């Protein structure tokens, strides 16, 4: 049986993912914009009413994900990566001396110059998914890049560039 997961945007809060179990119980996860997550169990008599709201720390959420089979999902993702021959994912740190510190993603022109795409930025424990061209880098940011080996190497070289004229 395929389980349907409903995603609902919560303006100013984040996003909620809900599912209906085979036994008829509705549960969900609220992912707050600040990174906080809550496990939510709805009232069986009123599916719009929350019966239990359980805040989860990062460690608790990770442990719960492991229990529920995150490792299986990672195995499936790994298989997908193998199917996309030559497509790699890499995390690249932006050094403090990079000329792109405090500059916009668009200034790097990484996709145009290398064919690789910056799909996320890790900053102080937060993940910024699909950063906008106006996103400004900070020293120590870690970018998640998808592309060929040559493209990833090109992005590494671009972000390591400390020459303001080059």
């Amino acid at each position: 049986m395929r389980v349907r997961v409903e995603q609902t945007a919560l303006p100013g809060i984040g996003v909620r993912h809900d599912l209906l179990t085979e036994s008829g119980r509705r549960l969900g996860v609220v992912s707050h914009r600040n990174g906080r997550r809550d496990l939510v169990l709805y009232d069986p008599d009123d599916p719009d009413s929350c019966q239990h709201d359980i805040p989860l720390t990062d460690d608790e959420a990770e442990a719960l994900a492991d229990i529920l089979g995150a490792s299986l999902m990672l195995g499936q993702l790994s298989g997908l990566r193998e199917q996309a021959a030559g497509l790699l994912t890499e995390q690249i740190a932006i050094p403090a001396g990079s000329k792109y510190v405090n500059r916009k993603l668009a200034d790097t022109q990484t996709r145009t110059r290398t064919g690789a795409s910056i799909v996320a930025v890790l900053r102080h424990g937060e993940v910024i998914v699909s950063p906008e061209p106006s996103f400004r880098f900070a020293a120590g940011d870690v970018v998640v890049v998808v592309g060929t080996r040559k493209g990833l190497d090109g992005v590494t070289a671009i972000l390591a560039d400390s020459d303001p004229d080059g």
Side-chain angles (χ1 to χ4, degrees):
M1 176 178 130
R2 195 88 174 132
V3 177
R4 191 173 114 205
V5 177
E6 295 178 10
Q7 178 177 323
T8 306
L10 303 172
I13 297 171
V15 66
R16 183 182 75 214
H17 293 90
D18 293 329
L19 65 90
L20 186 63
T21 67
E22 192 172 300
S23 66
R25 293 299 306 262
R26 192 167 144 225
L27 60 100
V29 175
V30 176
S31 300
H32 297 260
R33 292 171 64 192
N34 64 5
R36 188 179 115 202
R37 285 173 296 280
D38 294 321
L39 183 61
V40 181
L41 183 61
Y42 296 94
D43 187 329
D45 298 322
D46 180 3
D48 293 325
S49 176
C50 177
Q51 189 175 40
H52 298 286
D53 180 342
I54 305 165
L56 298 173
T57 66
D58 288 344
D59 289 340
E60 293 164 341
E62 186 176 348
L64 183 59
D66 284 344
I67 291 168
L68 295 175
S71 59
L72 176 62
M73 179 67 79
L74 289 174
Q76 292 170 345
L77 289 174
S78 178
L80 288 174
R81 179 192 281 179
E82 291 171 12
Q83 291 174 14
L87 190 62
L88 304 169
T89 303
E90 195 164 280
Q91 295 183 9
I92 303 168
I94 298 182
S98 171
K99 72 178 186 180
Y100 293 106
V101 170
N102 297 320
R103 290 186 54 196
K104 296 176 188 174
L105 169 60
D107 293 342
T108 67
Q109 298 182 329
T110 51
R111 189 174 4 205
T112 302
R113 294 165 66 185
T114 69
S117 295
I118 295 175
V119 297
V121 177
L122 312 175
R123 178 182 286 169
H124 305 298
E126 288 192 44
V127 179
I128 298 115
V129 178
S130 298
E132 297 288 327
S134 60
F135 176 84
R136 289 192 178 272
F137 291 115
D141 280 353
V142 175
V143 297
V144 179
V145 184
V146 176
T148 63
R149 175 79 268 150
K150 183 178 177 183
L152 298 178
D153 291 345
V155 173
T156 300
I158 289 168
L159 296 177
D161 188 356
S162 59
D163 178 7
D165 298 321

